[in-house]
Amino acid sequence: MNQSILLLSLTFGAIISFIVTRILIKQAIKYQIVDKPRADRFHTKTTALMGGIAIVVSFIVVATLLQLLPIAWSVITLLGTIISIYQLFNNRRVRAYISCVTTIIAGVATLFFLYGENVFDQKIAWLFTGAMIVFFTGTFDDKSKAMEPKVKLFFQITAGAIAILIVGTANFLPPVISEVFTFFWIIGVINALNLIDNMNGLSPGIAAFTALAFGLFSIVLFNNHDTALLSLALAAVLFGFLPNNFPNAKIFMGDSGSMFLGYILSMLGVMLSWETTSIDISIITPILLLAYPIFDVTFVTINRIRSGRPIYVGGKDHSSHLLVKYGFSPKYAVMMLYGLSIITSFITYYINTLDLGYAATAVSIILFTFIILGFILTKLHDKEYMPSEEKEEVIAGQEIEDITNITNITPNVSKKYNKVQ
């Protein structure tokens, strides 16, 4: 593709994303699809939800302009998405559900009609089909705020099955192990991107820099044309969305956006360097580029288990929150994590150009950095969520003192009562 056309398409995608996001802010507030401040959330003012719609719509438009998606599929999917969202905004849940299912089925039928027996060769179209399942699931959760985790997991598994059966798996592993590994990779990255969506600009910003790295690596290191275009398109759309989400959020992308991004990024990783049967240093590239989301979900999971709290319940115990407790402002905490992600990407690039010994040393540096960060933040976590023995002794002593006071007061009250009698 001509470089001028590519640059123009990416710029257009960023502009479309920005404009659609602005429109959604007004509509979300109008229909009261908002996220209000809660004890387990970091934001302090009511903020519009459904920013994920702008990301998905813009991404489909750009991918179509780059000839990655067939026009017929894109038109049907976009129309179906608009109708579904309209029904959901107006609290017509059953109609919205039917519309979502119809959109997915119509899109699949279009692929069979267009490509016939070659339909399963259209990997990117099937990638988007799975992504739309995850997106619609997140959209319903954003609206209801009451979807059970097992329901979300069911649809994540459904989308993951499409990706594994049609799009691709980690071919450097034996057949069955490959499918199982890819399955847990997809589910893990979906939920990792969802979990780090806990502070203005964090999840979409990390996703934008990761997608940009995927795109550049696809061109420079792996000569993977389609993955490069798809990654750069996603990065452009996210950079168009970010001004409305960071540093002062006018809209959140919600589960519809974070789950969609997790699904797409997980499969971009597979398409980048895992569709090879050879085992070399390049296979760790997707893991390193997604190092921060993986670190945060691991950090939170371990500490919630240590403190006896449910893993799936929200809270202010993420690495980003603890950086704020450490003294950073929310803005600079997020920018610090952006910087960490960018530096990790640079080191990952050089890892792919070094001999094995030097590459192992560079990987060790990344791993050591995250271990040190985890150790420092765990100290802050324990002060907040795991009271020390001294605090427990003080509390126990206070309880004994209160019981003693009550015992002393009771006879006096009894005497006064008898006098009144």
Side-chain angles (χ1 to χ4, degrees), residues 158-175:
T158 303
I162 293 174
I164 290 169
L165 293 173
I166 302 175
V167 182
T169 59
N171 290 338
F172 59 88
L173 294 171

Side-chain angles (χ1 to χ4, degrees), residues 291-356:
Y292 173 67
I294 294 170
F295 161 77
D296 188 73
V297 72
T298 305
F299 173 82
V300 170
T301 300
I302 291 173
N303 281 321
R304 286 183 182 177
I305 292 173
R306 288 177 60 238
S307 59
R309 290 174 295 128
I311 296 172
Y312 54 85
V313 176
K316 297 179 181 179
D317 55 346
H318 290 266
S319 54
S320 53
H321 300 143
L322 294 172
L323 284 173
V324 174
K325 290 182 183 295
Y326 193 73
F328 292 96
S329 68
K331 175 182 175 180
Y332 285 107
V334 171
M335 290 179 68
M336 178 182 174
L337 295 173
Y338 285 173
L340 182 62
S341 183
I342 293 169
I343 292 170
T344 303
S345 297
F346 273 110
I347 296 175
T348 303
Y349 169 77
Y350 284 107
I351 285 172
N352 281 275
T353 64
L354 298 172
D355 294 333
L356 185 60

Side-chain angles (χ1 to χ4, degrees), residues 255-272:
D255 283 4
S256 60
S258 61
M259 288 169 56
F260 177 87
L261 291 179
Y263 182 84
I264 292 291
L265 288 174
S266 69
M267 290 310 299
L268 285 176
V270 172
M271 295 162 65
L272 179 71

Side-chain angles (χ1 to χ4, degrees), residues 74-277:
S74 299
V75 170
I76 289 171
T77 301
L78 287 174
L79 286 175
T81 300
I82 292 169
I83 293 170
S84 301
I85 299 303
Y86 176 79
Q87 300 287 2
L88 193 60
F89 271 36
N90 286 279
N91 295 314
R92 301 167 187 166
R93 292 182 59 82
V94 175
R95 291 184 182 181
Y97 175 76
I98 293 172
S99 181
C100 289
V101 173
T102 303
T103 300
I104 298 294
I105 294 173
V108 171
T110 301
L111 293 179
F112 275 95
F113 176 78
L114 292 174
Y115 300 106
E117 61 182 17
N118 298 318
V119 66
F120 294 114
D121 295 333
Q122 310 306 313
K123 292 187 176 183
I124 291 180
W126 285 104
L127 171 64
F128 272 84
T129 299
M132 292 306 295
I133 293 173
V134 171
F135 164 70
F136 284 135
T137 303
T139 302
F140 272 87
D141 188 38
D142 288 336
K143 183 66 171 69
S144 67
K145 302 182 183 66
M147 185 178 290
E148 294 185 19
K150 61 184 179 183
V151 176
K152 288 195 282 189
L153 181 61
F154 170 79
F155 288 109
Q156 290 173 10
I157 291 172
T158 303
I162 293 174
I164 290 169
L165 293 173
I166 302 175
V167 182
T169 59
N171 290 338
F172 59 88
L173 294 171
V176 177
I177 298 175
S178 171
E179 280 78 15
V180 173
F181 177 81
T182 306
F183 168 77
F184 282 106
W185 167 255
I186 294 169
I187 302 300
V189 176
I190 288 173
N191 288 287
L193 266 292
N194 188 24
L195 284 173
I196 67 167
D197 189 24
N198 55 59
M199 195 172 286
N200 294 350
L202 182 55
S203 185
I206 293 294
F209 289 115
T210 303
L212 182 61
F214 276 140
L216 295 177
F217 284 24
S218 297
I219 296 169
V220 177
L221 297 173
F222 300 103
N223 195 28
N224 191 326
H225 178 264
D226 286 351
T227 303
L229 290 180
L230 199 60
S231 301
L232 293 175
L234 181 60
V237 166
L238 289 172
F239 284 124
F241 172 80
L242 267 177
N244 295 298
N245 185 248
F246 179 78
N248 300 312
K250 302 176 184 68
I251 190 169
F252 296 145
M253 63 180 182
D255 283 4
S256 60
S258 61
M259 288 169 56
F260 177 87
L261 291 179
Y263 182 84
I264 292 291
L265 288 174
S266 69
M267 290 310 299
L268 285 176
V270 172
M271 295 162 65
L272 179 71
S273 63
W274 286 0
E275 292 184 329
T276 175
T277 54

